[in-house]
Amino acid sequence: MVAAIIQARLGSTRSPGKTMKLIGNKPLLEYSVDRAKQARYIDKVIVATTTSNRDDLISEWCKEKGIDFLRGSEDDVLDRYFQTASNFIADIIVRVTSDCPFVDPEVMDLLILTQKVLSADYVSNRLKKRTWPHGLDIEVFTFDALEIAWKNGKEKREREHVTPYIIEHPELFKLIEVPLQEDLSHYRLTVDYPEDLEFTRIMVEKYDANKMNWREIIDLLRKYPELVEINASRIDSRL
């Protein structure tokens, strides 16, 4: 089974509570969930949240919407992912975050197919160098690779960020990157800061960008470059 696991919590250090902030008439998290559900090759979409009391809001929302979820460690995100994948018996995991409302189902399908065709342990569209817009980052990896990372990853950053152990051990895993020919890394489609939230609200409420694919969104931003300026100061090429 191919499962999209969307990590979500309300304790973000840069923008607390952003996961459930309303954009239009829906919480931010719902946009990531909806778009993951549109992917042809994803069998199940699961929210992986935490056991913290403040994340009761997320679990209650999932229950109300009929969305599969599991609660786990707040700090050990690798364990949260492993327990979620194990509980739902996922063979292939698609890692998505709740702060990327424009994450694209076509890109998910592309990476899933790449993993299947090349029998890769790990596939990403952002491995060595970013070429895709911020907010379209997706990782696809096998349960076997996740389990090895879970058993062997000991460092703090390996537990907080899920895939560092896999990425940093190419001798153990077959890693594949799917870059763009054109560098679009100067576009920012994720939500970390107030400027990102403003940008996302305008994109959704004025232009219905949540109904667009990633190419249509880029075309819109090229047509109205003033939109790009809203959160351009938050672009960091290292991320």
Side-chain angles (χ1 to χ4, degrees), residues 150-190:
W150 177 73
K151 288 179 177 177
N152 295 285
K154 306 299 182 185
E155 297 182 18
K156 183 179 179 181
R157 61 187 179 80
E158 292 173 334
R159 309 303 300 191
E160 288 180 336
H161 299 291
V162 186
T163 56
Y165 185 89
I166 298 173
I167 294 169
E168 293 168 13
H169 288 82
E171 76 281 5
L172 299 179
F173 305 104
K174 183 176 181 180
L175 311 176
I176 300 293
E177 183 174 24
V178 182
L180 278 175
Q181 294 299 313
E182 181 181 5
D183 185 355
L184 299 179
S185 60
H186 55 289
Y187 291 108
R188 184 171 172 82
L189 306 177
T190 189

Side-chain angles (χ1 to χ4, degrees), residues 3 9 87 96 110 117 123 125 131 157 161 197:
R9 67 187 182 100
N87 185 76
V96 179
L110 171 63
V117 170
V123 178
N125 57 349
T131 54
R157 61 187 179 80
H161 299 291
L197 202 58

Side-chain angles (χ1 to χ4, degrees), residues 119-133:
S119 299
D121 299 300
Y122 172 96
V123 178
S124 175
N125 57 349
R126 198 274 192 227
L127 187 55
K128 295 180 180 179
K129 181 183 178 181
R130 175 182 294 282
T131 54
W132 292 78

Side-chain angles (χ1 to χ4, degrees), residues 20-73:
M20 298 303 289
K21 285 186 176 178
L22 292 180
I23 305 291
N25 60 352
K26 299 193 296 187
L28 182 64
L29 172 59
E30 190 164 349
Y31 292 95
S32 299
V33 170
D34 286 348
R35 289 174 80 89
K37 284 182 175 181
Q38 295 172 33
R40 293 178 59 193
Y41 301 113
I42 289 176
D43 301 305
K44 187 177 288 291
V45 177
I46 309 157
V47 172
T49 191
T50 87
T51 54
S52 170
N53 291 339
R54 61 189 166 196
D55 289 327
D56 290 348
L57 183 62
I58 294 175
S59 62
E60 289 303 316
W61 178 82
C62 288
K63 289 176 186 176
E64 179 185 330
K65 293 290 184 177
I67 297 164
D68 289 306
F69 72 96
L70 194 76
R71 304 184 73 166
S73 172

Side-chain angles (χ1 to χ4, degrees), residues 108-235:
M108 296 180 200
D109 284 335
L110 171 63
L111 298 188
I112 294 167
L113 287 175
T114 300
Q115 185 279 324
K116 290 180 178 296
V117 170
L118 299 180
S119 299
D121 299 300
Y122 172 96
V123 178
S124 175
N125 57 349
R126 198 274 192 227
L127 187 55
K128 295 180 180 179
K129 181 183 178 181
R130 175 182 294 282
T131 54
W132 292 78
H134 295 249
L136 295 187
D137 305 44
I138 297 166
E139 296 176 299
V140 176
F141 44 90
T142 65
F143 178 82
D144 290 342
L146 177 64
E147 185 172 31
I148 292 170
W150 177 73
K151 288 179 177 177
N152 295 285
K154 306 299 182 185
E155 297 182 18
K156 183 179 179 181
R157 61 187 179 80
E158 292 173 334
R159 309 303 300 191
E160 288 180 336
H161 299 291
V162 186
T163 56
Y165 185 89
I166 298 173
I167 294 169
E168 293 168 13
H169 288 82
E171 76 281 5
L172 299 179
F173 305 104
K174 183 176 181 180
L175 311 176
I176 300 293
E177 183 174 24
V178 182
L180 278 175
Q181 294 299 313
E182 181 181 5
D183 185 355
L184 299 179
S185 60
H186 55 289
Y187 291 108
R188 184 171 172 82
L189 306 177
T190 189
V191 178
D192 282 318
Y193 303 100
E195 299 94 325
D196 298 326
L197 202 58
E198 179 188 359
F199 169 84
T200 301
R201 283 204 171 102
I202 292 171
M203 291 290 287
V204 170
E205 296 172 7
K206 184 174 182 179
Y207 296 101
D208 286 331
N210 54 301
K211 299 176 184 177
M212 302 177 182
N213 64 38
W214 73 270
R215 295 180 186 85
E216 291 169 331
I217 290 172
I218 297 303
D219 286 344
L220 177 69
L221 296 178
R222 284 172 168 157
K223 183 177 180 181
Y224 301 107
E226 63 273 16
L227 293 172
V228 180
E229 294 304 313
I230 296 172
N231 59 353
S233 65
R234 293 300 186 175
I235 288 288

